[in-house]
Amino acid sequence: MIEFYTAQQSQAIDHYAIHQANIPSLLLMKRAGLFSYETLLTHYPKTKKLLIVCGTGNNGGDGFVVAQLALMAGIEVDIVLTGKTETLKNEALLAFQEVKQLGVKTSPFPTDCLNEYDVIIDALFGTGLDREITGDIAHWIEQINAVKTPVLALDIPSGLDANTGQILGTAIKAERTCTFITQKPGLYQFNGADYCGKVHYSNLYLSPEVLHSQAPIAINHPLKHWLNQLPKRPENSHKGSTGSVCLIGGDQHMMGAIQMAGLASLKVGTGLVKVITHPEHGIALTQALPELMCYSPEELEQQVKQTKVIAIGPGLGLTEWGKNLFKESLNQPQPKVFDADALTLLSQQPQQQTNWVLTPHPGEAARLLNTTTETIQQDRITAIKAIQKQYGGVVVLKGNASLIYDGKHLEMCLAGNPGMATGGMGDVLTGTIAGLIAQGMPLFKATCLGVNLHAHAGDIIAQQKGQHGLLPTELASTLSQLMTYANR
């Protein structure tokens, strides 16, 4: 399990460790520097020449500790400082004085020879940065990003917002990031993954009491945790007891969307999957997937009575055909999963229910909140909380590090890959979540399991075949393999 804390919470935990648990601040700095140095040795063992770019705060102090350890190991080190040495204070000053005793002086920024270094250490700004980076430092960052020399960032890449993953003017693009005390959401949200690279985490040996002096803003549970929430099937199970789903959608030219949703529902173990779609689609759908039962829109009310959950949106369209199905489904008492065009229609007539799951991507989230996609991405946690407050139920905000929120619990899924950015992936997720709800899982747990299954299946296929050309139907077929680990 991974717990996430905001920059402000992380600073509060640091303060608690120093003033309540009586851990010297310099000791924490030494631990951060040692962890970073060990990470450097592990992943860049041939390092002979190191550039460490330091700010005048504690992040720079971490860099000075790395410099000291590297120098004692015989590594050549150049240190660039953003300000005058007279501005260094407290622990950062002490760390600088120690490295200075080894004969090192600060150097001007080596504009013309960045390629001569084996690794660059980013110790400019930590999680407390709350303004855009401009001027000479911004120019330095741009030059560092322009060379192929790998960058190891300390705590967070300088210029990346620790809470949101926004870029504050400009930011270091690191190959690896060593983060300390807590995991920050901005390392994974929005631009975080692209700028952090591989994240290495150390709690700096702080006790659970210190670390839990703040409540986490979000949690990531492993897939196995959510698989264990799936009700175990009795030996005398039959198709009527293993859940039933009613999928609604598949307007003309969009039959594939509802087919993929149906495939996913079947692959996660749903006993009966019914599809409400155009009559002319019925034969083609049942030929492709004989396990699907297809009905015309006129039969919706009758068929819904025999199912445990409704999923609407894949290929629904925005014509009168889709609008009528949307209106009719709203009046049904069953739990619902809304995706795609159903979310667009919901944004046009907002209402609140507790018994549904909304699964918007950033563009659909923007329509739900009457804002822009850019605004959603700039603060995804605030966005998902606003959607849930306005519409109720459980909300999934899709994207890298997808978020799930029910008004109380915020879950972050770290699985998934860019190869899943293709049409049809959302339809598979809709069918997956609906199938799990049908099998008796509560909405939040079913959604968390569905998102994790979906993301891990995508990773499995990417590892086997690569990210390019990753198909939603391949992903759906992989779901059943992952389901075999349930209740073990």
Side-chain angles (χ1 to χ4, degrees):
M1 183 177 74
I2 301 173
E3 297 175 323
F4 302 90
Y5 298 83
T6 66
Q8 295 74 20
Q9 288 178 309
S10 301
Q11 291 162 4
I13 292 172
D14 183 70
H15 187 272
Y16 185 94
I18 296 167
H19 298 284
Q20 301 297 122
N22 298 316
I23 300 173
S25 179
L26 183 60
L27 178 58
L28 293 176
M29 186 174 286
K30 295 275 189 178
R31 289 175 179 177
L34 177 59
F35 175 72
S36 302
Y37 176 69
E38 289 175 341
T39 303
L40 173 73
L41 290 186
T42 299
H43 298 284
Y44 308 103
K46 296 182 179 180
T47 299
K48 295 189 178 345
K49 189 173 183 180
L50 193 61
L51 175 65
I52 305 181
V53 188
C54 298
T56 55
N58 283 346
N59 198 242
D62 298 338
F64 298 143
V65 175
V66 175
Q68 182 182 4
L69 295 169
L71 285 163
M72 291 190 296
I75 297 173
E76 183 181 347
V77 177
D78 288 336
I79 297 176
V80 174
L81 187 62
T82 58
K84 297 181 179 179
T85 56
E86 292 80 8
T87 61
L88 293 169
K89 296 184 295 185
N90 304 324
E91 290 74 19
L93 176 59
L94 292 173
F96 177 73
Q97 289 172 339
E98 289 185 2
V99 77
K100 187 178 179 182
Q101 290 176 4
L102 296 174
V104 175
K105 297 181 180 180
T106 60
S107 308
F109 187 82
T111 300
D112 299 325
C113 55
L114 287 173
N115 283 311
E116 295 180 4
Y117 296 94
D118 298 307
V119 180
I120 298 172
I121 302 290
D122 165 30
L124 285 167
F125 299 105
T127 58
L129 183 68
D130 58 0
R131 66 186 187 280
E132 289 198 352
I133 298 176
T134 58
D136 289 341
I137 300 177
H139 187 52
W140 292 356
I141 290 175
E142 289 166 3
Q143 291 181 75
I144 291 171
N145 288 344
V147 298
K148 294 182 179 180
T149 306
V151 178
L152 176 64
L154 305 191
D155 209 12
I156 193 166
S158 296
L160 186 72
D161 188 291
N163 296 337
T164 66
Q166 284 190 65
I167 304 302
L168 300 173
T170 188
I172 288 284
K173 205 159 192 179
E175 187 171 283
R176 296 178 184 274
T177 297
C178 291
T179 198
F180 318 123
I181 300 182
T182 67
Q183 290 267 28
K184 296 86 181 173
L187 299 174
Y188 305 96
Q189 293 294 308
F190 196 18
N191 295 303
D194 287 323
Y195 280 76
C196 291
K198 175 68 176 177
V199 176
H200 305 271
Y201 166 66
S202 172
N203 63 15
L204 303 187
Y205 305 102
L206 295 178
S207 68
E209 176 192 353
V210 173
L211 294 170
H212 293 142
S213 59
Q214 295 282 314
I217 188 174
I219 296 177
N220 165 259
H221 290 90
L223 173 61
K224 182 63 176 175
H225 169 84
W226 296 115
L227 281 168
N228 287 340
Q229 310 301 311
L230 186 71
K232 190 172 182 178
R233 289 189 177 183
E235 292 297 327
N236 66 346
S237 297
H238 53 85
K239 63 184 179 183
S241 66
T242 52
S244 53
V245 170
C246 181
L247 302 173
I248 305 173
D251 198 355
Q252 292 175 333
H253 311 298
M254 293 186 285
M255 182 181 69
I258 203 70
Q259 179 182 326
M260 287 185 284
L263 174 63
S265 289
L266 290 166
K267 287 295 184 179
V268 295
T270 309
L272 294 169
V273 179
K274 301 185 177 188
V275 177
I276 303 294
T277 188
H278 280 281
E280 58 265 33
H281 292 165
I283 294 176
L285 283 172
T286 51
Q287 285 178 333
L289 275 175
E291 297 86 354
L292 295 179
M293 296 174 285
C294 300
Y295 302 91
S296 66
E298 291 74 23
E299 299 176 87
L300 186 150
E301 187 170 353
Q302 177 185 351
Q303 296 305 322
V304 161
K305 290 178 181 178
Q306 303 170 34
T307 56
K308 293 185 176 181
V309 60
I310 297 169
I312 181 169
L316 183 67
L318 300 175
T319 65
E320 286 303 312
W321 184 85
K323 290 178 180 179
N324 290 333
L325 286 172
F326 174 77
K327 291 176 183 177
E328 194 169 350
S329 68
L330 278 177
N331 299 322
Q332 306 302 322
Q334 286 88 347
K336 303 172 188 70
V337 182
F338 278 28
D339 184 32
D341 295 323
L343 294 170
T344 299
L345 292 170
L346 180 62
S347 71
Q348 295 171 1
Q349 42 183 308
Q351 56 185 283
Q352 188 175 97
Q353 289 189 22
T354 58
N355 203 24
W356 60 21
V357 178
L358 310 181
T359 64
H361 58 54
E364 292 159 347
R367 287 193 282 276
L368 289 169
L369 293 178
N370 192 28
T371 185
T372 64
T373 301
E374 182 181 9
T375 299
I376 297 294
Q377 291 289 73
Q378 286 176 346
D379 193 343
R380 287 166 53 84
I381 291 177
T382 294
I384 194 172
K385 289 185 174 182
I387 294 170
Q388 200 282 331
K389 182 178 181 180
Q390 182 172 344
Y391 293 90
V394 178
V395 181
V396 179
L397 181 53
K398 296 184 287 194
N400 58 310
S402 292
L403 298 169
I404 307 104
Y405 185 61
D406 67 348
K408 294 182 180 179
H409 310 97
L410 180 61
E411 183 78 11
M412 188 187 302
C413 176
L414 300 184
N417 62 82
M420 297 171 70
T422 185
M425 286 294 176
D427 305 317
V428 171
L429 178 61
T430 297
T432 301
I433 295 172
L436 297 170
I437 295 172
Q439 294 175 65
M441 294 190 75
L443 266 62
F444 181 73
K445 291 181 178 180
T447 304
C448 290
L449 175 54
V451 170
N452 275 274
L453 282 170
H454 185 262
H456 280 86
D459 286 344
I460 289 172
I461 298 169
Q463 290 168 6
Q464 294 173 345
K465 301 181 179 181
Q467 294 183 10
H468 294 284
L470 197 161
L471 298 178
T473 48
E474 293 177 318
L475 187 148
S477 297
T478 306
L479 294 172
S480 55
Q481 299 176 28
L482 291 170
M483 292 293 289
T484 62
Y485 295 98
N487 302 309
R488 283 190 178 182

